[in-house]
Amino acid sequence: MKSFDERLADGLHGIVDGDLDSSPPLGALLERGRRARRRRTSAIVSGTLAVLALGAIGTATLVQPSTPERSGVTVAAPEVVSPRMALASATEASASISYKVKVTARSAADASTAQVTEGAFDPRTDTGQLSSPSPGAGVVYLERLVEGVRFVSSSGSKDVWKQYPGRHDRLAYHRALSGAVGASADPEQLFDALRQDGAKVTRVGADVYHFTSTTSVDNRYGTETVTFVGDVTLDADKRIAKVSYELTRKGQFRPGVKGGLAYGGTDAVTVELSDYGTPVQVDRPTKVVVVK
């Protein structure tokens, strides 16, 4: 298996020379979550409101049996919202508004492989940008999304950008990170991953939640097991401020991948989100080569 640095360098050279040979294996799983997001949004929000409504009813009607009546004063029942429901509510509040993002990704076994990607995105207009220097490779991956139109470049390209066909609704973080980590490095797909059924969620602090999920994904190369474990920290507005997680992939060897890459190992990722609601303005490149 290639080292983390070698994977990064190969991926970035692939970006400069042409398209990458493959996408991260978690993408297929998270794509299902993305397609179902609009359907889940109303259900989650309705469920949250229902829980809160029940809490309100309890507050208005319940009286502790051990407390004697004194001038009509009642004792409010504590509001109960499950950790999973609280995290789902925070996810929905974070997924429909603009934000700035910083992603730090590395091999879990080697902190020196850390790669930092920074950017901003507005999901309402499909507009955003990111930059991602590759450690030790001397190349910076650049991407712009202007109302759904994707432009990709890199340092040393003399400000020439590739324009990709079709409309896109998110930035391609898996390209910025050279395929070294799962697609959940993208906040929009990370939100989808946190919605996946079967994930176990526990509250470990006032605004901190721990989650774990293991899923088997079938593809043309066989079955791959993806384990997703981490912690979510909320900000004062109950939106997601930080997600730190480890992603472990175990799967069969994939033939035909450049360099004979076999998939496996654990990546450690931290996604930091801030400046929710800040307008995102991105200039459309002037020197463009259209990719057909």
Side-chain angles (χ1 to χ4, degrees), residues 99-105 117 173 177 184-188 190-191 231 233 240-245 268-274:
Y99 54 79
K100 290 184 179 179
V101 59
K102 177 181 178 181
V103 177
T104 304
T117 297
Y173 281 78
L177 297 168
S184 52
D186 169 3
E188 293 297 300
L190 179 60
F191 297 148
D231 295 290
T233 302
I240 294 177
K242 182 171 72 173
V243 183
S244 297
Y245 67 89
V269 184
T270 298
V271 179
E272 299 172 83
L273 297 160
S274 62

Side-chain angles (χ1 to χ4, degrees), residues 226-247:
V226 180
T227 303
F228 191 40
V229 179
D231 295 290
V232 181
T233 302
L234 308 185
D235 63 15
D237 296 321
K238 304 301 181 183
R239 291 192 173 101
I240 294 177
K242 182 171 72 173
V243 183
S244 297
Y245 67 89
E246 288 192 349
L247 185 72

